[in-house]
Amino acid sequence: MADLVLDRLTIAYGNVNAVDDISLTVPSGEFLTLLGPSGCGKSTTLFAISGLNEATSGTIRIGDKVFFDGARGIAVPPEARNIGLVFQSYALWPHKTVAENLSFPLELRKVGRAERDSRIKEGLELVEMGKYAERYPFELSGGQQQRVALARALVYRPRLLLLDEPLSNLDAKLRERARIWLRELQERLNVTTIYVTHDQSEALAVSDRIAVMSMGKIQQLGTPTDIYERP
Ligand code: ADP
Ligand code: ADP
């Protein structure tokens, strides 16, 4: 199984380095969290991995598959990266049912009808939302919408899952339950996951390892125990 490698990655907006020369290897199947205050470069890092914005220099690769290489001028478009992405706002299409929300991205990728139906069923079962296929987003609670958004990312069968504060719109109690459930699902699927949060307790609860970021740099990298025990 192939590791995700960020090598000397820099991402600039104008002449400001939002991400400043970071290097990080994420082993296949790991749940890694980028933890740090607002503005430290977490989302910018995720967006560059997904290909939604381009890095400035350095390399992003999974195994032998190069997504970005500033020196060689390689930038693979997001649709060729096989990545599932979930943001803070669930951004479900309001006028589509849950099943249609999952179906649409698969239609864009020319997945046939029968295959779509079976993946939608499988995706909704994974997030325990099998009974809600014909509902509309406004009929669901925040936690349920968040599950649907996750299912929509999973029906691609991504090799890499990027989660940007996916639980921050939930109330505190639901958030605690959701993070346990999310971690169990990630382990079951064994999908390499990068999780972004500014919430230390959340990071400590879910992660295999935590990269603590500050001003575009990784300041500390270690297991929750390593991070917690250091002053
Ligand atoms: P598997 O064991 O599932 O076949 P690996 O994780 O060993 O896959 O990766 C095998 C190769 O597949 C990698 O070297 C890389 O070229 C490619 N690959 C892995 N993840 C992705 C991805 N998210 N998008 C595109 N290609 C990928
Ligand atoms: P985080 O996700 O940790 O809150 P971001 O990655 O969103 O941080 O932002 C990192 C830095 O880059 C911040 O200083 C932010 O103001 C800046 N930034 C983010 N997006 C843009 C943009 N589109 N244009 C200019 N600056 C940006």
Side-chain angles (χ1 to χ4, degrees):
M1 298 283 269
D3 298 347
L4 168 70
V5 177
L6 310 182
D7 188 23
R8 306 209 60 177
L9 190 68
T10 293
I11 308 160
Y13 293 111
N15 47 21
V16 176
N17 289 347
V19 171
D20 192 7
D21 195 20
I22 66 171
S23 296
L24 177 66
T25 297
V26 186
S28 174
E30 184 169 72
F31 194 118
L32 178 116
T33 297
L34 302 179
L35 171 68
S38 177
C40 72
K42 307 180 298 294
S43 301
T44 299
T45 305
L46 272 203
F47 274 57
I49 296 169
S50 73
L52 291 179
N53 67 12
E54 205 173 298
T56 307
S57 62
T59 307
I60 303 171
R61 63 184 162 82
I62 297 189
D64 55 7
K65 176 93 183 170
V66 178
F67 287 160
F68 176 83
D69 186 322
R72 285 152 70 198
I74 297 169
V76 173
E79 63 273 17
R81 294 192 187 197
N82 199 355
I83 286 172
L85 198 57
V86 180
F87 300 104
Q88 171 172 0
S89 56
Y90 324 115
L92 299 174
W93 289 291
H95 302 299
K96 290 184 191 293
T97 64
V98 164
E100 288 163 355
N101 261 279
L102 268 64
S103 181
F104 187 61
L106 295 172
E107 287 168 38
L108 290 181
R109 292 175 183 219
K110 308 267 183 271
V111 176
R113 174 85 195 246
E115 175 71 13
R116 279 202 314 269
D117 287 348
S118 86
R119 286 210 203 177
I120 290 166
K121 187 161 181 285
E122 178 191 286
L124 289 179
E125 276 166 12
L126 269 178
V127 300
E128 295 162 18
M129 288 291 291
K131 296 199 178 84
Y132 296 83
E134 301 313 320
R135 301 287 186 89
Y136 285 87
F138 70 85
E139 299 178 282
L140 307 178
S141 71
Q144 290 172 331
Q145 290 185 40
Q146 180 262 325
R147 285 173 185 230
V148 174
L150 190 60
R152 189 174 57 182
L154 292 172
V155 291
Y156 291 128
R157 306 222 171 105
R159 312 280 279 281
L160 184 63
L161 197 55
L162 304 178
L163 306 173
D164 195 346
E165 304 260 9
L167 309 183
S168 62
N169 283 347
L170 306 182
D171 67 55
K173 218 164 152 195
L174 191 56
R175 199 157 63 224
E176 255 177 58
R177 264 189 285 141
R179 75 194 189 195
I180 293 167
W181 167 86
L182 176 64
R183 178 64 224 235
E184 284 171 358
L185 178 63
Q186 185 272 344
E187 274 179 8
R188 192 141 45 88
L189 297 175
N190 195 29
V191 58
T192 309
T193 299
I194 303 186
Y195 187 83
V196 161
T197 184
H198 62 270
D199 181 335
Q200 179 174 325
S201 73
E202 199 165 286
L204 292 170
V206 298
S207 316
D208 290 318
R209 283 191 309 159
I210 300 171
V212 181
M213 290 187 71
S214 170
M215 299 198 297
K217 300 249 187 217
I218 294 175
Q219 300 288 5
Q220 284 186 56
L221 177 66
T223 65
T225 317
D226 295 338
I227 300 289
Y228 190 67
E229 285 176 356
R230 243 181 284 175

